[in-house]
């Protein structure tokens, strides 16, 4: 393991530890819930960093997978409210209002929480595999991928709104039970949910880090750099892209499930264009080529958004301020905040070894210099 | 060439390539024996690069057949052709600029192409050693941990040659490997190529006749999408048809 990887592991571990220690200093249920929400967005940003930052797939429909995960969790939690928010038949209330008489077949397995937990990951992954298969086998790249993913998200969103009888339509799925695993209840406004989210975040972050450190991760970055060249080394580029796209979708699905737990409902806005574009902004601000950077970018931007929109002084102008910050970062720090930190560290290290640097430079000069 | 078909590593038979009706290559026949180093020359627009594009799968033939080790490449995708044992160096050096040189070599060293197998594959010490040897061979041992985007043009050329060596294909296609190299570097490349032939089959597209003379046993000359002549350096230099094709560009040595 190189020294660089070791330092990276330490930094990642330290940040996760800091996040896990927050509840020891904060005792306000409302604030903990808010922080939990920011962390969920952090997980979503990790997912996009993996596909956009590492593989060069700009997924403008990242919220599709987030929403699918969210609905899977909401369906399971809705069925757990029997009989309070369901009719005597065990039907969710909105189905009763819409004259549905029996529970639809695709709702039935969600009586099992384990099924829901698996589905929350598997449904987004299968969705991404299918979409990825068509896009990447067809060698669709760049801006067209962005358009297709965005359009697909709008379609799924409309489908959910349209099928009100089965999905709750515009209102989404509300009045949910609290998540209960092996007798332990996760209260949306308690420490338990915060720890659940922070723990999942840690797992997701290190899982994503492991993917990027593997050979597959290296080939993903090579694809981002020069897709055509990778083919001539014998790699099936489409499969690598489908892999990155699906892993990203799975992580987004996990984030969606957690979001339902912390928000206590699921809504079509979770598959919205504005959320999807926000994820892109978080990654750009934090540094899309760094998992940690993207995650912190999400926490930083949503945190600032929350703070600004809640303070009276900025009630009317907070959107402007956010836009200004975004423009500033994109203009001055093309690799985001993580890129700026990396540059700073590099500069510090360079003072230690000016000798080797100088020889390398002089060699480069002799190769391009007067001989030509 | 045709009297020893069992030795032919790569055969191109009656190739036709049509771009919207324009026949870039027509009636093209070509064969290279195992372990041979073949130079492919010709005036601009003769179809040399197109011929390499055909072999590595970048372009598909309109008609005709390309056989590698007796098997047709016509229906294979680029990565399948690479897996079959064909490697390519492009005219414009194309390396992964955002990766370090070591990472570039790791990508080229394609031991397994499966996504899942590679997901559980992390750096190996034995690979590191062989990458260091490769870097030394091309004179870039100090640049292993620098990003490829920082390398000079000449260094990038060498890196790309190192990538091909890491990939270790049976058949190596080189498109103008010495473009932008100094005289000294060109000679070093010639030495390297002479060492590679025998173990590898090489097809080299080149303009530098000095270089061609140093490495080429048999030279194939293309003109207007067809094979014009084939033979040793002196035979080609005497060939009247070749002289005609190069007319106005100062003869073959001036091309």
């Amino acid at each position: 393991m190189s020294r660089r990887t070791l330092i990276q592991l330490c930094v990642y571990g330290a940040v996760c530890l800091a996040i896990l220690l927050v509840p020891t200093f904060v005792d306000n249920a409302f604030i903990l819930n808010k922080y939990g929400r920011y962390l969920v967005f952090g997980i979503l940003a990790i997912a996009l960093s993996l596909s956009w930052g590492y593989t060069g797939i700009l997924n403008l429909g990242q919220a599709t997978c987030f929403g699918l995960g969210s609905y899977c969790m909401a369906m399971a939690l809705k069925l757990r409210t029997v009989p309070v928010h369901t009719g005597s038949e065990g039907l969710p209330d909105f189905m009763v209002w819409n004259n549905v008489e029996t529970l639809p077949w695709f709702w039935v397995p969600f009586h099992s929480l384990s099924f829901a937990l698996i589905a929350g990951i598997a449904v987004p992954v299968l969705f991404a595999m299918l979409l990825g298969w068509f896009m990447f086998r067809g060698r669709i790249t760049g801006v067209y991928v962005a358009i297709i993913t965005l359009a697909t998200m709008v379609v799924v969103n409309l489908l959910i709104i349209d099928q009100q009888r089965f999905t709750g339509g515009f209102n989404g799925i509300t009045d949910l039970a609290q998540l209960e695993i092996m007798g332990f209840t996760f209260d949306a406004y308690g420490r338990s949910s915060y720890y659940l989210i922070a723990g999942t975040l840690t797992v997701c972050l290190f899982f994503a880090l492991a993917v990027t450190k593997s050979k597959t991760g290296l080939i993903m970055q090579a694809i981002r750099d020069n897709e055509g060249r990778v083919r001539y080394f014998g790699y099936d580029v489409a499969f690598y892209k489908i892999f990155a796209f699906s892993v990203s979708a799975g992580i987004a699905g996990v984030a969606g499930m957690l979001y339902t737990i912390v928000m206590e409902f699921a809504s079509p806005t979770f598959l919205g264009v504005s959320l999807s574009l926000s994820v892109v902004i978080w990654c750009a601000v934090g540094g899309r080529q760094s998992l940690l950077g993207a995650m912190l970018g999400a926490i930083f931007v949503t945190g600032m958004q929350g703070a600004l929109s809640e303070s009276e002084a900025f009630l009317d102008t907070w959107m402007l301020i956010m836009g200004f910050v975004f423009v500033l970062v994109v203009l001055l720090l093309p690799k985001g905040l993580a890129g700026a930190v990396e540059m700073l560290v590099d500069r510090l290290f360079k003072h230690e070894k000016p000798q080797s640097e100088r020889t390398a430079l002089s060699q480069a000069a002799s190769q391009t210099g007067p001989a030509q | 060439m045709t009297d020893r078909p069992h030795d032919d590593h790569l055969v191109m038979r009656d190739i036709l390539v049509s771009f919207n009706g324009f026949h870039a290559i027509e009636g093209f026949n070509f064969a290279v024996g195992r372990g041979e180093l073949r130079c492919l020359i010709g005036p601009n627009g003769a179809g040399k690069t197109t011929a390499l594009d055909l072999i590595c799968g970048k372009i598909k033939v309109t008609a005709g057949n390309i056989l590698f080790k007796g098997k047709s490449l016509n229906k294979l995708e680029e990565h399948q052709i690479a897996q079959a044992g064909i490697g390519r160096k492009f005219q414009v050096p194309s390396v992964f600029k955002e990766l370090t040189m070591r990472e570039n070599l790791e990508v080229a060293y394609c031991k397994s192409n499966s996504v899942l197998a590679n997901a559980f594959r992390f750096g190996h010490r034995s690979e590191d050693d062989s990458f260091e040897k490769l870097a030394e061979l091309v004179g870039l041992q100090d640049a292993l941990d620098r990003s490829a985007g920082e390398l000079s043009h000449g260094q990038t050329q060498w890196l790309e040659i190192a990538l091909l060596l890491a990939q270790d294909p049976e058949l190596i296609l080189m498109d103008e490997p010495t473009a932008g190299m100094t005289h000294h570097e060109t000679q070093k490349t010639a030495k390297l190529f002479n060492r590679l032939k025998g173990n590898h089959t090489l097809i080299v597209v080149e303009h530098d006749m000095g270089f061609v003379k140093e490495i080429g046993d048999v030279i194939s000359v293309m003109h207007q999408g067809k094979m014009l002549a084939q033979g040793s350096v002196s035979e080609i230099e005497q060939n009247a048809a070749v002289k005609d094709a190069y007319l106005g560009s100062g003869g073959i040595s001036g091309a």
Side-chain angles (χ1 to χ4, degrees):
Chain A
M1 199 182 291
S2 74
R3 211 171 67 129
R4 202 185 151 80
T5 312
L6 205 65
I7 294 172
Q8 200 175 14
L9 278 177
C10 290
V11 173
Y12 276 50
V15 171
C16 289
L17 197 67
I19 288 172
L20 281 164
L21 284 177
V22 166
T24 41
F25 304 107
V26 179
D27 208 19
N28 183 323
F30 175 72
I31 292 181
L32 269 186
N33 176 274
K34 197 165 70 176
Y35 286 177
R37 241 162 47 216
Y38 299 159
L39 294 185
V40 169
F41 291 141
I43 301 177
L44 192 54
I46 293 173
L48 186 68
S49 169
L50 211 53
S51 68
W52 184 33
Y54 278 86
T55 326
I57 305 167
L58 177 52
N59 182 357
L60 284 189
Q62 192 71 45
T64 319
C65 299
F66 182 77
L68 288 174
S70 167
Y71 269 87
C72 284
M73 181 54 94
M75 284 160 82
L77 294 184
K78 185 74 187 174
L79 290 176
R80 301 216 136 200
T81 59
V82 176
V84 185
H85 292 296
T86 54
S88 49
E89 313 278 312
L91 271 183
D93 43 14
F94 65 85
M95 289 193 192
V96 177
W97 304 331
N98 284 290
N99 300 324
V100 177
E101 275 158 14
T102 49
L103 197 66
W105 59 268
F106 58 88
W107 270 77
V108 174
F110 284 90
H111 277 297
S112 150
L113 186 63
S114 347
F115 176 85
L117 290 177
I118 294 169
I121 298 174
V123 171
V125 166
L126 290 175
F127 174 81
M129 277 180 167
L130 194 73
L131 186 62
W133 176 268
F134 284 115
M135 286 196 302
F136 303 132
R137 292 302 294 172
R139 297 208 180 164
I140 290 167
T141 54
V143 68
Y144 300 103
V145 170
I147 293 169
I148 290 173
T149 49
L150 188 69
T152 315
M153 181 177 66
V154 173
V155 169
V156 176
N157 185 304
L158 286 177
L159 201 71
I160 288 179
I161 293 174
D162 185 60
Q163 296 297 313
Q164 189 175 348
R165 298 184 303 152
F166 306 127
T167 61
F170 264 121
N171 303 323
I173 304 177
T174 52
D175 294 322
L176 304 179
Q178 282 178 335
L179 178 67
E180 193 185 314
I181 296 177
M182 288 187 283
F184 189 81
T185 310
F186 291 94
D187 177 8
Y189 285 87
R191 282 187 182 169
S192 50
S193 286
Y194 182 90
Y195 283 127
L196 175 71
I197 294 170
T200 314
L201 173 97
T202 308
V203 172
C204 286
L205 185 63
F206 278 92
F207 171 71
L209 186 67
V211 169
T212 61
K213 290 285 171 196
S214 72
K215 176 124 190 206
T216 296
L218 183 66
I219 293 159
M220 278 157 52
Q221 295 172 62
I223 289 172
R224 175 194 67 202
D225 235 10
N226 193 341
E227 180 174 335
R229 191 72 187 92
V230 177
R231 279 200 188 99
Y232 299 106
F233 285 126
Y235 301 101
D236 191 343
V237 168
F239 275 121
Y240 281 85
K241 285 181 135 181
I242 293 170
F243 174 80
F245 196 58
S246 310
V247 170
S248 168
I251 295 177
V254 170
M257 288 199 282
L258 293 172
Y259 202 56
T260 295
I261 293 168
V262 79
M263 296 295 282
E264 300 187 287
F265 70 96
S267 142
T269 55
F270 294 1
L271 297 87
V273 173
S274 70
L275 177 64
S276 260
L277 297 183
S278 299
V279 190
V280 174
I281 293 176
W282 304 334
C283 286
V285 168
R288 62 191 167 105
Q289 293 186 9
S290 158
L291 298 166
L292 189 69
M295 182 194 96
L296 291 176
I299 296 172
F300 169 72
V301 173
T302 50
M304 200 166 139
Q305 230 163 4
L308 283 177
S309 62
E310 279 164 22
S311 73
E312 257 174 71
F314 299 108
L315 210 55
D316 300 319
T317 51
W318 69 272
M319 286 277 246
L320 265 176
I321 297 174
M322 290 311 300
F324 187 66
V325 168
F326 177 59
V327 170
L328 220 61
V329 168
V330 169
L331 276 181
L332 301 178
L333 307 167
K335 283 192 170 178
L337 297 173
V341 171
E342 207 163 300
M343 212 163 66
L344 224 71
V345 172
D346 272 356
R347 223 168 257 179
L348 287 178
F349 273 117
K350 261 178 192 169
H351 282 296
E352 280 176 26
K353 42 174 187 179
Q355 190 57 42
S356 63
E357 199 65 26
R358 213 173 295 146
T359 50
L361 272 177
S362 67
Q363 256 178 1
S366 71
Q367 299 251 4
T368 51
Q372 284 191 337
Chain B
M1 290 295 108
T2 41
D3 54 3
R4 46 176 184 81
H6 52 282
D7 260 5
D8 285 341
H9 207 184
L10 180 93
V11 182
M12 298 174 83
R13 211 174 279 152
D14 303 323
I15 303 294
L16 170 72
V17 178
S18 165
F19 299 123
N20 294 325
F22 168 70
H23 292 182
I25 286 187
E26 195 176 4
F28 180 68
N29 284 290
F30 182 70
V32 188
R34 192 178 283 275
E36 194 183 335
L37 195 166
R38 177 73 62 89
C39 287
L40 193 57
I41 63 170
N44 284 333
K48 305 172 300 256
T49 299
T50 308
L52 293 194
D53 284 349
L54 285 171
I55 299 170
C56 74
K58 196 176 177 194
I59 300 176
K60 291 284 166 207
V61 293
T62 312
N65 208 353
I66 304 175
L67 299 169
F68 179 62
K69 292 189 283 186
K71 286 195 188 114
S72 173
L73 297 181
N74 286 10
K75 291 228 166 77
L76 298 186
E77 286 187 54
E78 292 102 317
H79 69 272
Q80 290 167 320
I81 293 176
Q83 280 164 27
I86 297 180
R88 163 97 185 253
K89 185 203 162 296
F90 288 84
Q91 198 168 357
V92 179
S94 55
V95 297
F96 308 111
K97 291 201 168 107
E98 284 186 42
L99 304 184
T100 65
M101 185 180 159
R102 192 189 299 276
E103 288 169 333
N104 267 279
L105 290 168
E106 262 175 68
V107 173
Y109 182 72
C110 178
K111 195 153 198 182
S112 160
N113 46 51
S114 144
V115 180
L116 289 180
N118 283 332
F120 294 102
R121 194 179 167 82
F122 299 89
H124 287 270
R125 197 152 290 274
S126 60
E127 283 178 21
D128 271 354
D129 287 347
S130 60
F131 293 157
E132 259 150 45
K133 269 184 205 142
L134 265 178
E136 222 165 288
L137 186 72
V138 296
L140 290 172
Q141 60 272 29
D142 292 331
L144 259 177
D145 290 307
R146 280 167 60 198
S147 86
E150 294 172 24
L151 300 178
S152 70
H153 181 76
Q155 286 174 318
T156 312
Q157 290 273 34
W158 278 111
L159 171 56
E160 209 171 348
I161 290 172
L163 290 182
L164 271 180
L165 296 179
Q167 186 188 358
D168 197 27
E170 282 175 45
L171 173 63
I172 300 178
L173 311 172
M174 294 271 191
D175 204 347
E176 302 200 19
T178 65
M181 281 191 178
T182 62
H183 178 66
H184 175 74
E185 285 178 315
T186 305
Q187 289 205 314
K188 197 173 150 194
T189 312
K191 250 182 232 157
L192 180 67
F193 280 21
N194 279 324
R195 243 177 62 193
L196 287 177
K197 76 179 165 194
N199 293 324
H200 300 262
T201 308
L202 290 99
I203 300 175
V204 182
V205 166
E206 190 52 75
H207 277 298
D208 181 349
M209 275 313 288
F211 180 69
V212 170
K213 279 178 196 164
E214 238 168 281
I215 60 168
D217 309 321
V218 180
I219 299 175
S220 301
V221 187
M222 280 185 80
H223 184 50
Q224 291 178 346
K226 289 191 175 67
M227 188 61 79
L228 187 65
Q230 201 154 279
S232 70
V233 177
S234 55
E235 280 167 15
I236 293 296
E237 276 177 330
Q238 301 304 316
N239 190 305
V242 175
K243 276 183 187 167
D244 277 349
Y246 275 94
L247 200 68
S249 57
I252 186 168
S253 303

